[in-house]
Every structure is written in C-alpha cells, then in structure tokens.
Amino acid sequence: MSTPGDRGVVWLGSPAFPEAARTALKDTQLRANLKRATGTIRDKRLAVAAELDDWEELRESAAAIKQHTARHLDGHLVQLEKAVTRAGGTVHWARDAAEANRIVTELVCATGESEVVKVKSMVTQEIGLNEHLAEHGITAYETDLAELIVQLGDDRPSHILVPAIHKNRTEIRDLFRAEMGHWGQPAPEGLTDEPRELAEAARRHLRQKFLTAKVAVSGANFACADTGTVLVVESEGNGRMCLTLPETLITVMGIEKVVPTWSDLEVFLQLLPRSSTGERMNPYTSAWTGTTEGDGPSSFHLVLLDNGRTDTLADPVGRQALGCIRCSACLNVCPVFERTGGHAYGSVYPGPIGAVLTPQLVGIGSDNQSSADSLPFASTLCGACYDACPVKINIPEVLAHLRAKVVEAKGGHTVEALAMKAAGKVLDSPRLFGAAQKAAALGGKVLARDGRIGRIPGPLHGWTDTRDTPAPPTESFRGWWRKNREEERS
C-alpha cells in the first residue's frame, strides 16, 4: 500500500478549483469551444442510447459486474496474472507511480531504443510517464490525434475522451504549422483548418513513427481475468498501429480495469461507445492475449498499477469511483465542466469523475496535495452525472461523502465546519434559537428588498450575490403562537 506522499503526479500543481475556475470563466473562447463540443457529444449519446430497449438493464448489469469485481479484486488480479503469463506475457506489479515509471523505463532501456510510440492512455499521464522517460533520454510520441495536439502545444489534456476539446480548428491549424516540424515531418504548406486536411497532416506526420518504432506503450480499457486478454478501444486506428507493428508492447493498467470473464465485455462494449462518442460501436476494438509468433509484438509486458487504488477500495462509499470506464459521459452533462473546462480541475481526471477519483488517489488532506481537497466542492450536486453514468456510479453521493472527509481532515476548522457547529448549538438551545429568530427578523428588516435579502456587506456578500433568498419573517411562529394563546386565555 502506498502512502499519499508516494502517489505519483495525479495532481498537476494547479491552484485550488475556485481560483482556477475564476480564470477559466473569463475565457469566452474556451467556453464557446466547450459548449459546442459537449453539446454535440451529449445529443449523439442520447440518440444512440435511446435505440436500445434494454439500456437501463445494461447499466444495471455493468454496475453489478463492477461491484462484484471490486469485492473480489485480489482473486481476479491473480487469475489475470496467471493467464497473461501462460499466454507468453510478463506481468509486473507497481505500488505507485515511481515504481511503475521505473519498470517501464527499464523495459525500454533493455531494448536499446530511445523512442516509443504511445496509445492514448490516461494512466500513463497519471504517473507522468512521458516526463520520466524524457529524463532518461527516451522520447514518447503521442499518436492519438487529440493527444498529439496537446503534446505539440506543450499543453495539458482537458477532457477524458477529447483531450484537446478546449481547442478549435483554427487554433489546431496554427499549432500544426508552428510545431509539427520540431517533432518530425512538418505540416504541409498552405494547411487550412478543414478537418480533412488537419487529419491528413497528422496522418503523414505520424506515419514514419509507426513504421520505425520498435517499442509501444499503451493503457487498457479492459483486461479479462479468465483469458488474460487485454483490450483497447479507439476511433482512429492509431492505437491499432501501435499495438501491432512494434516488437515490444508495454501496457500500463490500473488494477480496477480487470473484468472477470470475456463474456462480460458483451455488456461494456455496448455501453462504452454509446456513452463516450455517441457511436453504436467503436471503429477499432483491439484485443490481444499474450504473444503469438509471427503476429504482432514478440514481447508483451503488463504493468498493474495501484497508486492509491487499494486505499480507495477500502472506502465503502468512495470505492464506487473505481467502477469508471472512462467514457466521459459525466463531463458532457456537467454544468460546471461545460463552463470551466478540464484544466480548472488540476487533474488528469477532470469533471465529476475526477472530482471523486482524484482526491482519493492523491489522498485527502495530504500536505503536498491539499488543493485536490477542493475538487469535491466543484459541483452543484444536480445529479446529471449519475443519470448519464453507464455503470451507475452515484457521483453526488460520493461527492457529499468526500466533502465530509475533507472537513474532518482539516480538524473541523473550515468556515463551513465552524458554521455548522454554531448552528448546532443554536438549534440545540430554545433560548439561543429564539434569540437567533429575533436577530434574523431584525436583520431582515434592514437588508430586505421586495421581500428578498439584498446584498450583505463584507465577506458574506458572495452568498447573496448568487442567491435569491427570501427575507426572514418579521414574526416567528413561536411569537405568533404565544400571542394568540395569550389572547385566547384573556
């Protein structure tokens, strides 16, 4: 088990969410890009999900499989290791980011290569693999189109499915023109912002890398414990090139990605494409089991990563987050994400799922990761994420649970905790409660405008600036009752 201080670089060093969100909200171009992209994906998802009469039954099945897997995770992982080994692969266990980075770096160095091609992988971003490889003289080339855009711009992903969702076509064209030549084949002369031309420029840029690379690094969407089969699903085919052409394939996988059997994929491969891209099926679903002579890589290594996951598993409420299949449906329906984008979350995992997953992987209350504690509060608790989640993760429940843990970790000295303690004392005392009612009525007379509370001066103005709050009544029920009882007696 890793300690919070050992858990890699899930947290990317951004300010706490409130401060980062204020900056993002001022970027009108960012907000326009996000609204257009998330709205398009959201509408497509709703349309294709409605085509299935058993959509809710599929969600229930997926949730049940994930819950069962979590309860028996140790057994399924051991079974997976045996199956992969039997099929000719090698399994490595990594407690944290540092150990995973060391394992992958040593495997690449053992091949004598100084370049690797990469399939889109959030878990390698989580551990900072590209940066670690660079420190050891190894260059990692991202081959997913959106990840390529992020890499060329020395940027950070802002979405689980579409890492460059914050960029529009013109911005991408300008980036290709300026940066492609520094990483390989430059963009063609006269490149426009037409999607077809941008895709062709990326295809030509990457072709040489695919044909010469000897080592590839991937993540995994699923791994079947019974057969040792690992799966990657994607939309472009770049992943397929990485998974089949190199001589050595290294897959880094979070331990929660295992499913018990091959037949379980029947459920997830219906839910995932519809929830993520609004497609009925993934254009490319690549599955491999160990190694096969003359077919694909001759050497396969599977790195199973913990990095805070077993600690998350120990929380009966918080462990729900480990059921995530990285579809990003919750991001596309979240009113907060749509306005701030992913960078404001300061995490590889943005949006509602990031708000419940990141603090647990990092460790709530960790001194060097304390800004992650703000993420459970980055939500309106509207519940749209729960309705959209294909595996029925009750994200609002986990958010409320983690908020309580954050307050407890800070020793109950937050403004919210102090306010709740004060309210508890007042509500527990009839005398104090009566005095508070009188004070509220008096304050209401001073601050009320048209029956509503106006702007409160001082540090509490933020509350009234964003809320339409009725003024307290001038007479409490107690006062009314006492007065009327006295009239009856007389």
Side-chain angles (χ1 to χ4, degrees):
M1 182 181 297
S2 59
T3 63
D6 295 330
R7 293 181 195 166
V9 291
V10 176
W11 185 252
L12 299 178
S14 294
F17 182 84
E19 181 181 345
R22 277 192 290 271
T23 301
L25 288 171
K26 296 176 183 177
D27 189 337
T28 56
Q29 183 62 62
L30 171 69
R31 294 179 65 175
N33 294 348
L34 289 169
K35 184 176 182 179
R36 186 184 311 110
T38 57
T40 299
I41 299 172
R42 184 166 61 240
D43 292 343
K44 289 176 63 179
R45 182 189 68 82
L46 288 171
V48 295
E51 294 174 353
L52 297 182
D53 294 334
D54 61 345
W55 179 254
E56 289 304 316
E57 287 78 4
L58 284 170
R59 293 180 70 209
E60 292 284 355
S61 296
I65 293 170
K66 284 292 186 179
Q67 290 165 10
H68 165 84
T69 304
R71 287 195 297 269
H72 305 281
L73 185 59
D74 53 348
H76 292 311
L77 289 172
V78 170
Q79 184 183 15
L80 174 65
E81 179 185 30
K82 292 179 179 177
V84 170
T85 303
R86 188 166 55 247
T90 304
V91 176
H92 310 261
W93 298 79
R95 290 168 295 183
D96 50 39
E99 191 164 10
N101 284 330
R102 177 184 58 78
I103 291 170
V104 175
T105 303
E106 290 178 354
L107 290 173
V108 176
C109 289
T111 67
E113 297 296 317
S114 60
E115 295 182 350
V116 302
V117 288
K118 286 188 70 215
V119 185
K120 181 180 181 297
S121 164
M122 298 198 71
V123 74
T124 59
Q125 293 169 359
E126 173 188 325
I127 64 177
L129 178 62
N130 287 12
E131 293 78 7
H132 189 271
L133 289 174
E135 291 174 0
H136 291 78
I138 301 168
T139 303
Y141 294 98
E142 297 289 350
T143 65
D144 174 83
L145 177 57
E147 291 289 358
L148 172 64
I149 294 166
V150 170
Q151 185 175 54
L152 291 177
D154 193 22
D155 202 351
R156 297 190 312 194
S158 63
H159 191 276
I160 288 176
L161 177 69
V162 193
I165 197 172
H166 56 290
K167 298 285 189 183
N168 61 32
R169 296 185 314 187
T170 302
E171 291 171 320
I172 294 169
R173 178 204 63 194
D174 295 342
L175 182 63
F176 279 10
R177 286 175 173 178
E179 299 297 332
M180 268 189 170
H182 300 304
W183 288 81
Q185 181 167 325
E189 293 290 336
L191 178 66
T192 72
D193 62 1
E194 285 299 313
R196 183 184 298 274
E197 290 194 28
L198 295 174
E200 180 63 21
R203 188 178 296 113
R204 291 180 177 275
H205 175 78
L206 292 170
R207 179 66 59 176
Q208 183 181 11
K209 303 299 180 186
F210 289 138
L211 296 177
T212 59
K214 302 296 183 182
V215 182
V217 175
S218 83
N221 291 98
F222 306 101
C224 305
D226 60 343
T227 63
T229 305
V230 183
L231 280 88
V232 165
V233 296
E234 44 142 353
S235 299
E236 300 170 6
N238 295 336
R240 177 72 59 82
M241 300 286 279
C242 294
L243 297 169
T244 56
L245 294 179
E247 297 173 359
T248 299
L249 173 60
I250 304 168
T251 297
V252 183
M253 185 187 91
I255 56 176
E256 79 281 13
K257 294 298 186 71
V258 66
V259 295
T261 69
W262 171 265
S263 61
D264 293 326
L265 297 175
E266 175 190 0
V267 174
F268 293 107
L269 292 182
Q270 292 185 75
L271 289 169
L272 180 55
R274 286 176 167 83
S275 298
S276 57
T277 59
E279 297 172 294
R280 296 178 182 86
M281 64 181 293
N282 294 100
Y284 294 89
T285 299
S286 300
W288 66 97
T289 307
T291 59
T292 301
E293 186 176 354
D295 183 11
S298 58
S299 177
F300 170 57
H301 298 268
L302 177 62
V303 181
L304 296 174
L305 176 71
D306 185 338
N307 207 37
R309 287 161 173 79
T310 53
D311 290 332
T312 303
L313 188 63
D315 186 330
V317 177
R319 70 172 61 145
Q320 295 180 65
L322 295 178
C324 175
I325 59 175
R326 307 293 191 267
C327 70
S328 76
C330 63
L331 280 70
N332 298 325
V333 300
C334 177
V336 177
F337 176 87
E338 186 181 279
R339 289 158 177 79
T340 65
H343 290 163
Y345 293 82
S347 167
V348 168
Y349 305 108
I353 189 61
V356 295
L357 184 59
T358 298
Q360 296 189 89
L361 296 183
V362 168
I364 289 175
S366 305
D367 292 338
N368 60 339
Q369 310 281 9
S370 58
S371 292
D373 290 351
S374 67
L375 293 182
F377 300 90
S379 170
T380 65
L381 299 181
C382 68
C385 51
Y386 184 23
D387 291 339
C389 179
V391 294
K392 304 195 72 170
I393 300 171
N394 193 339
I395 295 177
E397 178 187 34
V398 184
L399 285 167
H401 172 68
L402 295 180
R403 289 180 183 187
K405 294 188 72 171
V406 169
V407 172
E408 292 170 2
K410 294 181 178 180
H413 300 307
T414 64
V415 174
E416 293 89 347
L418 294 175
M420 290 300 104
K421 286 182 180 179
K425 289 184 178 181
V426 170
L427 294 172
D428 195 45
S429 168
R431 180 179 60 82
L432 291 176
F433 183 61
Q437 286 181 313
K438 291 179 181 178
L442 179 61
K445 290 180 181 179
V446 175
L447 298 170
R449 296 177 182 175
D450 299 325
R452 303 287 173 178
I453 293 293
R455 192 175 195 270
I456 297 178
L460 295 179
H461 73 85
W463 179 270
T464 52
D465 286 350
T466 56
R467 290 168 176 82
D468 190 17
T469 308
T474 55
E475 182 181 32
S476 69
F477 176 78
R478 280 188 177 192
W480 177 89
W481 179 265
R482 189 179 298 113
K483 182 176 67 175
N484 282 274
R485 287 299 295 268
E486 290 175 354
E487 290 177 354
E488 290 177 6
R489 290 171 183 170
S490 62

